[in-house]
Amino acid sequence: MARDPNFDWWQRQVGTPLAILLHKAGYDLETQYAYIRFFLDCTIPALGPSHNMSSDASPWQSFMTDDHTPVELSWEWRHTGENPDVRYSIEPIGHSAGGCADPFNLLATPYLIGQLQRTVSSLDLRCYNHFADRLLPNAPALGSQYGALLGQSPTGPLSTSFVAYDLRRKGPVTVKAYFLPSIRAMQSEVSNFDLIIRAIRSLPESRAGAFQALRLLTEYTETDALGSELECEMLGIDCVSGDSARLKIYLRSGRTSFDSVRSIMTLGGRMQSPVDDDEPAFGDLFELWNTLFFPEKRASTTTTSTELRRCGHRTAGILYYFDFSKSHAKPVPKVYLPVRHYGESDHLIAKAVCARMKRKGKQHEARQYLSALREIL
C-alpha cells in the first residue's frame, strides 16, 4: 500500500515531539505506546492535509496557534512534585476545509467525535451536544450568509471548534472540547460573550441553580471599565460525566500591565481575599512576569503599572480563562503569559522558566524541561 505523505509529515512534525514529551515526563513504556497508538489512529487522520512549509499559505488557517499549526503540545506540572502530565489540543481539519464543499471546516470535528465515542470509554457528550447546538454555526443558513460573514470578519478566526486530550497515567484519556462562537454570534447578531452565557444558562442544571458564580463574571463585564473591554474568545468544556465537569470561559484583554492582570483575575476585587491571602500568589506571579518579559532589567526598575511593548497581532494582549464548576461560589482564574509576543527570545524564555523552577526547589523539573526542549528543537 502506498505511503500517505500527509500521515508521514504529521508523524514526523508532531508525533516525534509528542513521543519525546511522554518519555521525558516519565510515562511507563506501556502507556507511552498506548498514547502514541492513539495519536496515530485518531489524531493524525483528523489533522487534514500537511502544511507544506515551502508554500505561502496553509490549507486551512487554524486559530490554534499563531503560525496556524492545528496542534498545541503542553506539559502540566502539579504542586506535589510529581512528573508533569502531557496534554495536547488540536483543531480537526477536513481535506475540503476552506473550499466550496466545507468553507467553515464543519465536517472534521463531528467525524472525530464519532470516532472517540468508539475509543474513549469515559467520553460523555451530553454537554458537548448542548453547546454544539447553540455555539457552532447554523449550517443551513451558511450558504446564503457566506459572503456576508466573511465581510463582517475579514481578519477574525474562521475556526469554530477544538478538541483536547489530557493523557492520564492511569485510566482513559480525558477529552475536552472548545467552541469558538464568533460565526454563530454574527449569525445571531449578539456578542460572543452573550451567546456563551445564554447557552450556559439554558443547561438544565443551570436552571436548577448550578453555576451561580457566572454572576460575578457578568457583573464585572457590565460594570467595570476593564471588564467591559474584555473580548470573549471561546468556551471550553470537559467531556466527562458528573460534578467534576467544568466550564471555562476564555477572555482577552488588550491591557498588558500587571495591575490589569491582577484586577481582571480578581474580577475587580470581587474575588479578593479579605485577609490578603492572595498576596503571596500575586507576588510570585509578578516575579515570574518580570523574569519573562524584562529579563535584562533589575526588578526594581519595573512597576506593576508598566505596560508591555505594543503589538498589533490578532492574539496580542493577555488571555485569561475562568473555570466554573457547578457548585462553587467563585470561578478559578487562570492567565496565559504571552511569551510569543512579548518574550525576548526562546533562549531567554527557557532560561527564565528554569530559573523559576530552581528557585522553587524544582531542579529535577528544570532538567526535564531543558532536556525535552533540546531534543525537540
Side-chain angles (χ1 to χ4, degrees), residues 38 41-42 45 108-125 172-173 175:
F38 177 83
D41 293 344
C42 291
T109 297
Y111 183 84
L112 174 60
I113 293 296
Q115 187 176 15
L116 293 175
Q117 280 186 286
R118 299 186 295 272
T119 307
V120 180
S121 60
S122 61
L123 187 69
D124 187 301
L125 293 177
V173 62
V175 179

Side-chain angles (χ1 to χ4, degrees), residues 33 64 176 180 185 221 252 327 363:
Y33 176 81
M64 172 65 68
K176 298 176 288 187
L180 292 78
T221 61
R252 193 182 305 277
S327 58
Q363 284 79 7

Side-chain angles (χ1 to χ4, degrees), residues 130-373:
H130 174 91
F131 288 113
D133 287 344
R134 291 159 177 81
L135 300 180
L136 295 182
N138 183 352
L142 279 177
S144 60
Q145 296 175 330
Y146 177 66
L149 289 171
L150 289 180
Q152 289 182 58
S153 184
T155 60
L158 293 182
S159 299
T160 59
S161 61
F162 301 149
V163 176
Y165 307 111
D166 288 350
L167 306 186
R168 299 165 56 192
R169 293 170 189 272
K170 302 293 182 183
V173 62
T174 298
V175 179
K176 298 176 288 187
Y178 297 84
F179 300 92
L180 292 78
S182 58
I183 294 177
R184 182 64 174 265
M186 285 189 287
Q187 288 181 304
S188 305
E189 298 184 339
V190 297
S191 70
N192 290 356
F193 185 74
D194 287 345
L195 189 68
I196 285 174
I197 295 300
R198 183 189 303 172
I200 294 173
R201 286 178 171 162
S202 67
L203 283 166
E205 48 264 64
S206 291
R207 296 197 297 268
F211 300 114
Q212 289 296 309
L214 274 176
R215 178 185 55 80
L216 290 174
L217 180 59
T218 56
E219 181 184 277
Y220 178 64
T221 61
E222 292 168 356
T223 63
D224 188 275
L226 270 178
S228 64
E229 295 176 354
L230 292 171
E231 295 290 335
C232 185
E233 296 280 21
M234 62 184 175
L235 172 74
I237 67 170
D238 296 331
C239 297
V240 298
S241 60
D243 292 336
S244 62
R246 305 165 300 158
L247 305 178
K248 295 174 285 187
I249 298 177
Y250 288 73
L251 302 149
R252 193 182 305 277
S253 172
R255 304 295 184 94
T256 59
S257 72
F258 192 79
D259 283 339
S260 68
V261 171
R262 180 179 188 129
S263 177
I264 292 169
M265 291 188 75
T266 62
L267 296 179
R270 289 166 178 80
M271 298 199 299
Q272 193 86 22
S273 169
V275 292
D276 289 332
D277 286 344
D278 299 325
E279 285 305 314
F282 279 113
D284 187 50
L285 183 58
F286 187 55
E287 180 184 19
L288 177 60
W289 178 275
N290 280 327
T291 306
L292 287 170
F293 299 131
F294 305 101
E296 303 300 331
K297 293 185 179 181
R298 295 173 61 88
S300 59
T301 65
T302 61
T303 69
T304 57
S305 62
T306 302
E307 294 276 339
L308 303 179
R309 63 174 178 266
R310 293 183 61 82
C311 176
H313 195 277
R314 167 63 179 80
T315 59
I318 310 293
L319 183 66
Y320 305 83
Y321 78 75
F322 292 87
D323 187 324
F324 295 88
S325 64
K326 293 179 182 179
S327 58
H328 289 181
K330 296 179 181 180
V332 177
K334 300 287 179 69
V335 61
Y336 288 82
L337 301 184
V339 293
R340 178 174 175 83
H341 294 311
Y342 304 106
E344 296 296 329
S345 68
D346 288 347
H347 171 71
L348 289 175
I349 292 164
K351 183 179 176 181
V353 172
C354 288
R356 182 180 187 276
M357 289 180 179
K358 291 175 180 177
R359 284 196 301 273
K360 297 294 181 182
K362 298 181 181 293
Q363 284 79 7
H364 172 66
E365 288 87 342
R367 288 193 297 270
Q368 276 182 313
Y369 172 68
L370 270 185
S371 177
L373 275 185

Side-chain angles (χ1 to χ4, degrees), residues 49-53 55-62 67-70 93 97:
S50 61
H51 288 204
N52 182 354
M53 294 308 175
S55 173
D56 292 335
S58 298
W60 171 259
Q61 300 290 293
S62 175
D67 68 356
H68 308 302
T69 301
I93 297 175

